[in-house]
């Protein structure tokens, strides 16, 4: 704690003079006309081109942004927001509490760094926030003469205050959620004009999700024409909710893949087989390690059912893969917790945000196994074209800044992995939220009874209540309990996310009861009295104690608990929070160990009486620390292996760029891509195989590095040989006209991945051959 305070005071002391300078410029800047502000902005650009540094123009740039925000949004940056902006510009993580205006603070460094002409990226956790902030903050950037755009799925939008959609066209862009939640900023999609992805990256400031930026990078390195690349250099990025993006999502790499061999029937067979096998007899489940292991009895049953002698013969290894994934799908991945079934499709639920991850699929055959388990259409397995970890994508940027309300608990990881320092920014107004002690019950039923009783009392006096649940299943379960108790409420989860804006807008009204998954945690502002603000109702709510937050279980990460608490007590508002727990909660059951079991057996107190035991609080903290440690190890493990592949990836992408720039021949690029694709599969197989070498006292990572290096050298050698043998023949066989066509028309692997080009369709390059015989080779 002393070290933390010392770090903050050093940071504040270093930057206090800069803030004084910015404040001293306010009288001069506020006297400027709108046209003068544009001239000032242009002058700052010119000064940068004349070799001045960003630090030299920083005070004037920040003062211009503050004045512009005051004029166009009626919002003036507080000094603490200036401090947050300085932290972001200096490549640090600004920890700012909920409601302290992170979005507005980010405009300061985004504008300053965009003046260099190299572009600034603002990374958000979902597409809705990217659109909202483009329109909302776009008003500031536009008034300062900068262009701002946002990336949306498969397209892009430019902020244009003069743009209006033709009659009927607006509804195709703006969903009902956006109409309800962003009415103050965007009416039916007006002000956002469709543009190309490349144009979006050419603007001064580009908003988008981490997936959009990451996948564009991978797709750029699959294109066959230089002009088809959309990104430019990775200059500067601000990451909103930085702990969510750089930590929570960093266990899953970004992968571009395409359908491969047909295997759906196998997954259906093994789903039926897995359903017949018995837990603890035929296979063992370790919930802590998220693993399932088949027993000798189970192997006998499988071999008899499949009519094979030995499941582990080399020719049957593929079958062990189907079996393993089917058992994992059965025991470790649950409907309405890990995924939902919507329109006969399996859609993953983000465990950290509670949102649907549309378009994302589990890798390694797991998704197919879940599809077979749920009886929906089983899609083909995929072949990897390109992949990169979240960590290594964001390491491409010359400078990174991040902001969140919860960063200090992960400060060590930010420093070790990204070399990012965390700075806690003080609140503008003192935080007066009351965080009540946890109430711990013996059983889940007793916990629910206590929650309902507490809600009844608070609802009767008109206090708004937000109840956080860890999954959709628990969300709906509690909703039924509230209905039985006759308590009016709103349910918010990934199944009804189209009403998210309307539900959140009413969650701060007197007596409102909202039951929500993690969707209502990170980044959600609940306005006391409701939104749009109603002063009389806001005053009523304040008199009842403000928004009360109830947590129904501890999450795996303390940061998610803190995000939930953070919905109350924003910007000095009154508010309170309390967690209701039971000894049967998943976290306690899985990670609590024998002490919890013995405690449950020895407790003789009534079930409706909360347990006051310091030991249980310690167990909870230890359980969360265990899970956080395991998740950190998983991310560290992914990064260590991806670091090996990353050096190879950079070398291949550099070689691709050289070919594109000097001699852009597709029929050669395709060969390099094919060698690289095969190499990715070989490296994946190598990673699986080296794990077994730990039993022989060999370090798997050292083995992976050594053999991966040899395999990469082999790839380069094979490619050079292929070019020598085929390069001259390819040139000789291509007429001038067809070479021009080949250079002008590239077949994007994305089209094939989306099923736009069938293997037997005519190749779009115009050769007259089938796709599989031409660009699909």
């Amino acid at each position: 704690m002393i070290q933390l305070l010392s770090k903050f005071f050093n940071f504040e002391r270093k930057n206090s003079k800069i803030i004084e300078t910015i404040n001293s410029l306010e009288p001069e800047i506020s006297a400027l006309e709108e046209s003068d502000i544009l001239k000032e902005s242009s002058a700052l650009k010119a000064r940068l081109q004349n070799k001045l540094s960003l630090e030299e123009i920083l005070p004037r740039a920040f003062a211009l942004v503050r004045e512009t925000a005051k004029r166009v949004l009626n919002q003036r940056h507080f000094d603490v927001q200036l401090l947050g902006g300085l932290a972001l510009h200096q490549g640090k993580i600004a920890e700012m509490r909920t409601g302290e205006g992170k979005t507005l603070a980010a405009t300061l460094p985004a504008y300053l760094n965009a003046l260099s002409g190299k572009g600034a990226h603002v990374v958000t956790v979902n597409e809705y926030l990217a659109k909202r902030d483009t329109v909302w903050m776009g008003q500031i950037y536009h008034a300062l003469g900068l262009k701002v755009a946002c990336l949306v799925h498969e397209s892009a939008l430019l902020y244009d205050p003069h743009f209006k959609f033709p009659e009927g066209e607006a509804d195709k862009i703006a969903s009902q959620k956006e109409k309800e939640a962003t009415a103050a900023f965007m009416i039916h999609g007006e002000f956002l004009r469709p543009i190309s992805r490349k144009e979006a990256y050419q603007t001064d400031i580009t908003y988008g999700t981490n997936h959009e930026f990451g996948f564009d990078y991978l797709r750029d390195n699959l294109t066959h024409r230089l002009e088809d690349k959309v990104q430019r250099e990775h200059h500067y990025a601000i990451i909103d909710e930085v702990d969510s993006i750089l930590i929570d999502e960093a266990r899953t790499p970004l992968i571009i893949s395409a359908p491969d061999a047909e295997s759906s029937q196998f997954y259906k067979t093994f789903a039926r087989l897995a359903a017949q096998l018995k837990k603890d007899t035929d296979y063992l489940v370790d919930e802590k390690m998220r693993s399932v292991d088949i027993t000798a009895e189970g192997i006998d049953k499988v071999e008899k059912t499949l009519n094979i002698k030995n499941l582990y013969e080399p020719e049957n290894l593929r079958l062990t893969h189907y079996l393993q994934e089917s058992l994992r799908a059965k025991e470790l991945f649950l409907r309405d917790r890990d995924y939902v079934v919507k329109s006969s499709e399996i859609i993953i639920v983000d465990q950290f945000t509670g949102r649907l991850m549309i378009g994302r699929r589990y890798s390694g055959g797991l998704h197919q196994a879940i599809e077979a388990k749920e009886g929906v259409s089983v899609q083909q397995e995929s072949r990897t074209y390109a992949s990169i970890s979240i960590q290594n994508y964001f390491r491409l940027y010359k400078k990174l800044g991040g902001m969140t309300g919860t960063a200090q608990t992960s400060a060590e990881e930010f420093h070790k992995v990204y070399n990012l320092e965390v700075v806690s920014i003080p609140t503008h107004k003192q935080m007066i939220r009351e965080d009540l002690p946890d109430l711990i019950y013996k059983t889940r039923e007793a916990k629910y009874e206590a929650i309902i009783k507490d809600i009844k009392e608070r609802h009767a006096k008109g206090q708004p209540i937000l109840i956080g649940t860890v999954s959709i299943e628990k969300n709906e379960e509690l909703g039924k309990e509230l209905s039985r108790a006759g308590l009016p409420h709103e349910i918010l989860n990934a199944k009804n996310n189209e009403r998210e804006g309307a539900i959140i807008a009413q969650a701060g009204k007197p007596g409102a009861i909202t039951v929500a998954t993690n969707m209502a945690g990170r980044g959600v502002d609940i306005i006391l009295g409701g939104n749009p603000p109603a002063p009389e109702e806001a005053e009523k709510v304040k008199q009842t104690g403000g928004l009360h937050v109830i947590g129904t279980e501890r999450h795996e990460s303390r940061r998610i608990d803190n995000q939930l608490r953070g919905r109350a007590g924003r910007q000095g508002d009154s508010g309170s929070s309390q967690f209701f727990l039971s000894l049967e909660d998943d976290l306690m059951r899985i990670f609590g160990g024998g002490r919890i079991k013995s405690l449950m057996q020895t407790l003789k107190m009534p079930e409706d009486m909360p347990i006051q035991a310091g030991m249980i609080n310690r167990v909870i903290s230890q359980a969360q620390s265990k899970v956080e440690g395991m998740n950190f190890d998983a991310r560290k493990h992914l990064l260590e292996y991806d670091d090996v592949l990353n050096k190879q990836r950079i070398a291949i992408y550099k070689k691709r760029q050289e070919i594109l720039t000097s001699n852009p021949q597709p029929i050669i690029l395709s060969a390099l891509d094919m060698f690289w694709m095969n190499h990715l599969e070989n490296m994946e197989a190598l990673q699986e195989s080296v794990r077994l070498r730990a039993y022989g006292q060999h370090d798997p990572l050292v083995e992976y590095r050594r053999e991966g290096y040899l395999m990469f050298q082999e790839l380069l050698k094979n490619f050079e040989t292929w070019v020598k043998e085929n390069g001259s023949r390819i040139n000789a066989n291509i007429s001038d006209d067809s070479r021009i066509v080949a250079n002008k028309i590239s077949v994007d692997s994305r089209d094939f991945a989306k099923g736009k080009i069938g293997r037997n369709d005519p190749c779009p390059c115009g050769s007259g051959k089938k796709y599989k015989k031409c660009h699909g080779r």
Side-chain angles (χ1 to χ4, degrees):
M1 185 64 185
I2 294 169
Q3 188 181 8
L4 187 68
L5 288 170
S6 169
K7 196 180 283 186
F8 166 70
F9 285 125
N10 285 336
F11 172 74
E12 190 176 35
R13 190 169 56 250
K14 283 178 186 175
N15 291 286
S16 58
K17 285 185 180 177
I18 300 174
I19 292 174
E20 283 174 22
T21 307
I22 296 165
N23 288 336
S24 70
L25 289 168
E26 190 162 18
E28 177 196 341
I29 300 292
S30 61
L32 296 174
E33 299 288 336
E34 282 184 29
S35 58
D36 294 327
I37 283 185
L38 274 173
K39 286 176 187 172
E40 282 283 337
S41 191
S42 298
L44 289 179
K45 272 188 184 179
R47 290 169 74 183
L48 278 178
Q49 287 168 2
N50 288 331
K51 307 301 180 189
L52 258 70
S53 68
L54 289 175
E55 272 58 39
E56 287 172 292
I57 67 163
L58 185 150
R60 202 161 192 83
F62 275 36
L64 277 173
V65 175
R66 177 193 260 182
E67 179 59 29
T68 307
K70 194 166 65 176
R71 293 185 187 192
V72 301
L73 298 180
N74 198 26
Q75 293 181 337
R76 179 185 174 276
H77 294 77
F78 304 128
D79 282 3
V80 290
Q81 287 172 309
L82 297 181
L83 197 61
L86 286 167
L88 294 171
H89 167 66
Q90 292 165 13
K92 294 179 170 60
I93 291 174
E95 184 181 65
M96 299 174 72
R97 286 189 182 270
T98 303
E100 289 297 307
K102 296 192 296 290
T103 305
L104 191 64
T107 57
L108 300 159
Y111 168 73
L112 173 65
N113 284 269
L115 288 173
S116 66
K118 296 175 182 176
H121 296 167
V122 184
V123 187
T124 64
V125 287
N126 60 58
E127 194 176 284
Y128 158 67
L129 289 176
K131 287 185 196 174
R132 185 202 71 178
D133 293 352
T134 299
V135 177
W136 190 12
M137 299 300 117
Q139 298 169 75
I140 298 173
Y141 302 128
H142 180 78
L144 289 163
L146 298 190
K147 286 186 175 180
V148 58
C150 69
L151 306 171
V152 292
H153 191 51
E154 297 185 352
S155 63
L157 300 166
L158 177 75
Y159 173 71
D160 182 351
H162 307 297
F163 178 73
K164 288 183 183 289
F165 275 101
E167 195 69 31
E169 287 294 306
D171 292 333
K172 295 177 184 176
I173 298 289
S175 68
Q176 184 63 32
K177 176 175 69 173
E178 288 157 353
K179 291 175 193 172
E180 292 168 343
T182 64
F185 319 119
M186 179 170 63
I187 310 294
H188 289 236
E190 289 176 5
F191 313 139
L192 288 178
R193 174 161 59 85
I195 55 171
S196 70
R197 301 282 276 201
K198 191 163 192 171
E199 286 175 297
Y201 280 106
Q202 293 302 315
T203 60
D204 299 292
I205 297 165
T206 311
Y207 283 83
T209 65
N210 54 313
H211 298 119
E212 294 297 326
F213 285 112
F215 282 124
D216 278 342
Y217 170 72
L218 293 176
R219 285 190 287 256
D220 273 357
N221 286 286
L222 287 170
T223 186
H224 283 192
R225 296 190 310 168
L226 200 58
E227 56 266 40
D228 288 337
K229 296 187 88 166
V230 297
Q231 286 191 344
R232 47 181 174 159
E233 62 182 319
H234 295 81
H235 172 56
Y236 175 60
I238 297 169
I239 306 176
D240 191 11
E241 306 298 355
V242 65
D243 52 332
S244 174
I245 290 172
L246 293 191
I247 291 183
D248 295 338
E249 294 200 31
R251 282 183 286 167
T252 309
L254 302 175
I255 298 171
I256 288 182
S257 58
D260 194 21
E262 179 63 63
S263 56
S264 58
Q265 198 54 48
F266 280 109
Y267 282 109
K268 290 175 186 174
T269 301
F270 276 87
R272 289 193 294 270
L273 202 159
Q276 295 166 16
L277 298 177
K278 293 178 183 175
K279 182 180 174 182
D280 298 330
T281 302
D282 299 323
Y283 59 88
L284 304 174
V285 179
D286 187 334
E287 289 184 274
K288 270 188 199 176
M289 302 306 295
R290 305 273 297 162
S291 65
V292 183
D293 292 308
I294 189 93
T295 63
E297 292 92 332
I299 292 169
D300 287 343
K301 279 189 185 178
V302 171
E303 288 172 346
K304 281 178 186 173
T305 306
L306 297 176
N307 196 26
I308 56 174
K309 288 184 179 177
N310 185 353
L311 182 63
Y312 291 91
E313 284 288 332
E315 63 267 23
N316 294 330
L317 282 179
R318 194 70 189 153
L319 301 182
T320 64
H321 167 72
Y322 296 132
L323 175 64
Q324 181 69 21
E325 294 310 312
S326 298
L327 288 173
R328 287 181 70 216
K330 177 185 176 184
E331 290 293 341
L332 300 177
F333 292 82
L334 305 182
R335 185 171 181 164
D336 289 342
R337 185 191 74 181
D338 302 289
Y339 62 88
V340 297
V341 181
K342 200 171 185 179
S343 303
S344 298
E345 201 179 339
I346 303 297
I347 303 176
I348 301 171
V349 176
D350 188 319
Q351 295 302 296
F352 300 100
T353 67
R355 296 178 185 276
L356 294 182
M357 302 172 78
I358 294 168
R360 295 285 294 278
R361 291 177 64 81
Y362 294 116
S363 59
L366 175 61
H367 210 96
Q368 286 82 357
I370 294 171
E371 287 169 333
K373 178 182 86 167
E374 294 293 349
V376 302
S377 176
V378 180
Q379 295 187 29
Q380 291 178 325
E381 283 197 85
S382 300
R383 188 171 192 197
T384 301
Y385 278 0
S387 72
I388 191 169
S389 65
I390 294 281
Q391 295 101 317
N392 275 323
Y393 173 71
F394 282 106
R395 282 168 160 184
L396 293 171
Y397 285 88
K398 291 187 177 110
K399 185 168 70 173
L400 268 184
M403 50 190 186
T404 179
T406 47
Q408 284 296 352
T409 51
S410 303
E412 184 183 358
E413 185 169 351
F414 281 126
H415 178 68
K416 282 183 177 175
V417 176
Y418 302 99
N419 197 28
L420 286 169
E421 182 187 337
V422 176
V423 178
S424 293
I425 307 297
T427 56
H428 176 59
K429 293 180 182 176
Q430 187 180 354
M431 209 272 286
I432 59 170
R433 184 186 69 228
E434 185 183 9
D435 293 328
L436 301 167
D438 294 352
L439 295 176
I440 306 162
Y441 294 83
K442 191 173 178 181
T443 65
R444 187 178 297 168
E445 289 76 17
K447 175 182 76 171
Y448 277 157
E449 282 178 23
I451 290 171
I452 298 297
K453 184 183 175 186
D454 188 52
I455 292 170
K456 273 184 179 175
E457 291 171 3
R458 293 179 185 276
H459 177 68
K461 68 176 185 177
Q463 186 173 22
I465 305 158
L466 173 68
I467 305 125
T469 61
V470 297
S471 69
I472 297 171
E473 179 191 22
K474 302 281 174 67
N475 181 264
E476 292 174 342
E477 197 176 276
L478 188 57
K480 288 174 185 172
E481 296 284 342
L482 288 167
S483 296
R484 275 195 282 270
L487 290 165
H489 61 280
E490 284 279 9
I491 293 277
L492 176 61
N493 60 43
K495 288 183 177 178
N496 70 337
N497 63 342
E498 68 282 350
R499 293 190 58 239
E500 178 183 1
I503 293 171
I504 292 299
Q506 305 304 311
K509 281 188 168 291
I513 301 173
T514 310
V515 188
T517 57
N518 294 341
M519 281 179 69
R522 189 177 294 278
V524 172
D525 276 349
I526 295 174
I527 311 296
L528 297 191
N531 193 16
E536 288 181 13
E537 298 214 316
E539 194 52 42
K540 278 184 195 173
V541 169
K542 285 177 184 175
Q543 288 171 5
T544 65
L547 178 70
H548 181 65
V549 172
I550 292 176
T552 58
E553 277 184 54
R554 285 285 190 184
H555 293 84
E556 288 187 354
S557 167
R558 289 168 291 173
R559 285 182 293 105
I560 302 176
D561 290 342
N562 292 337
Q563 285 285 352
L564 179 61
R565 285 192 198 275
R567 297 319 98 198
R570 62 188 296 280
Q571 290 191 351
D573 284 343
S574 54
S576 53
S577 73
Q578 189 164 37
F579 276 77
F580 287 73
L581 313 174
S582 89
L583 298 181
E584 294 177 343
D585 291 347
D586 287 346
L587 186 75
M588 305 284 276
R589 182 177 55 80
I590 297 169
F591 294 95
R595 287 180 296 173
I596 292 293
K597 286 180 184 173
S598 60
L599 186 66
M600 287 178 72
Q601 290 163 358
T602 56
L603 285 172
K604 303 296 182 187
M605 61 180 69
E607 290 201 349
D608 62 352
M609 184 184 292
I611 303 161
Q612 301 292 329
M615 187 195 92
I616 297 182
N617 287 315
R618 285 195 298 276
V619 169
I620 292 167
S621 295
Q622 287 167 4
Q624 286 182 311
S625 295
K626 267 186 197 174
V627 181
E628 287 170 2
M630 286 169 62
N631 289 341
F632 173 71
D633 288 342
R635 291 188 295 271
K636 184 167 171 280
H637 178 80
L638 170 70
L639 185 60
E640 285 171 341
Y641 282 86
D642 193 60
D643 276 345
V644 176
L645 199 56
N646 197 47
K647 289 172 186 170
Q648 300 174 359
R649 181 189 298 115
I650 289 168
I652 289 293
Y653 287 176
K654 186 180 177 185
K655 188 173 279 289
R656 268 191 122 264
Q657 183 69 12
E658 287 168 1
I659 295 169
L660 276 172
T661 307
S662 59
N663 189 19
Q665 294 181 16
I667 324 207
I668 292 181
L669 283 172
S670 293
L672 181 60
D673 290 344
M674 187 57 68
F675 280 117
W676 176 240
M677 218 186 311
N678 290 335
H679 180 71
L680 287 176
E681 288 185 352
N682 293 338
M683 291 293 282
E684 195 176 337
L686 175 63
Q687 190 173 340
E688 289 291 324
S689 69
V690 294
R691 286 177 189 164
L692 299 174
R693 300 183 196 182
Y695 295 111
Q697 306 303 309
H698 294 282
D699 184 331
L701 184 60
V702 171
E703 297 282 297
Y704 181 78
R705 283 178 183 145
R706 183 178 63 80
E707 293 197 25
Y709 172 78
L710 295 174
M711 286 163 62
F712 186 65
Q713 294 305 309
E714 187 71 14
L715 177 158
L716 295 176
K717 180 181 164 189
N718 290 341
F719 175 67
E720 294 301 332
T721 302
W722 187 94
V723 171
K724 282 175 188 172
E725 290 177 355
N726 297 283
S728 57
R729 191 164 60 226
I730 288 168
N731 282 331
N733 291 339
I734 296 179
S735 67
D736 288 341
D737 288 344
S738 61
R739 189 178 288 114
I740 291 168
V741 170
N743 287 340
K744 280 188 178 176
I745 301 173
S746 85
V747 180
D748 195 332
S749 62
R750 285 174 288 179
D751 289 340
F752 180 50
K754 294 173 193 163
K756 290 182 181 176
I757 305 172
R759 285 177 51 75
N760 292 311
D761 291 344
C763 191
C765 75
S767 65
K769 296 179 181 178
K770 289 183 178 180
Y771 176 71
K772 68 182 180 184
K773 298 283 188 184
C774 192
H775 278 78
R777 287 183 69 180

